[in-house]
Amino acid sequence: MFGESKIVKKMKEEPLVPLGVGATVCALLYAAWGLHYKNIQQAQRGMRGRVIMQGLTVCALVGYGVFRNKDAGQEAQSNMRPINWDKLEREAQEAEAMDSLAKGKQVSPAMEKLIAQAKKEREEKAKSIIAKSIFVQEVPESKK
């Protein structure tokens, strides 16, 4: 029952797709009828019609998809948070410097300063999280 309601819902949302599928099947049956009775012209017309109907069905599918994604794209853009490019660049440089240190390569003083600053920021953030967790008290079940 769940599958039927989903199919009916899709048919109502996109009525040209089932219509195109039906037209494609009719054109294919027309071509098969022509092949069965050895009517080459009818078979050719049926196959050409099938290709055209199939193309129109695909166009309908793409059109519905573009129309639906246009609305969804606007919603998605409004929900996106901005990218902090400076932070990403700093983290990439830090990772590169750490990799160089791990491989035993020489690191520039600027990179060492960057690494020290990043470590300090991480330690401060960890300390603030720990401080917050200390002040949070659990309420016993009986008092809830």
Side-chain angles (χ1 to χ4, degrees):
M1 191 122 210
F2 176 75
E4 289 178 3
S5 63
K6 189 173 182 180
I7 291 172
V8 170
K9 180 182 171 189
K10 283 288 188 184
M11 288 175 67
K12 289 179 182 178
E13 288 176 1
E14 303 171 355
L16 292 178
V17 175
L19 188 68
V21 169
T24 303
V25 169
C26 289
L28 183 63
L29 290 174
Y30 182 76
W33 190 267
L35 283 173
H36 179 71
Y37 288 107
K38 296 185 177 32
N39 187 346
I40 303 302
Q41 289 179 344
Q42 181 181 349
Q44 274 298 320
R45 283 193 305 266
M47 284 298 169
R48 288 178 185 156
R50 179 196 60 84
V51 169
I52 291 169
M53 293 302 139
Q54 200 168 359
L56 291 174
T57 305
V58 169
C59 288
L61 276 169
V62 170
Y64 284 124
V66 167
F67 180 72
R68 186 171 300 142
N69 284 340
K70 186 188 295 185
D71 295 337
Q74 291 171 353
E75 290 175 14
Q77 286 179 354
S78 66
N79 294 336
M80 280 200 237
R81 61 184 172 90
I83 297 173
N84 187 347
W85 292 106
D86 294 331
K87 181 180 175 186
L88 286 174
E89 180 67 27
R90 187 170 29 114
E91 288 175 352
Q93 289 175 349
E94 177 189 334
E96 187 177 305
M98 294 295 268
D99 187 46
S100 296
L101 280 176
K103 291 180 180 177
K105 295 181 181 177
Q106 186 66 25
V107 178
S108 69
M111 284 296 202
E112 288 179 1
K113 184 178 177 183
L114 180 69
I115 292 170
Q117 181 184 0
K119 286 181 180 178
K120 184 179 176 184
E121 287 175 5
R122 286 189 188 125
E123 288 173 2
E124 289 174 1
K125 189 174 183 180
K127 286 179 183 177
S128 69
I129 291 172
I130 291 170
K132 288 178 185 176
S133 65
I134 291 173
F135 292 113
V136 174
Q137 296 178 355
E138 292 184 23
V139 177
E141 290 294 324
S142 62
K143 293 186 179 182
K144 284 186 181 179

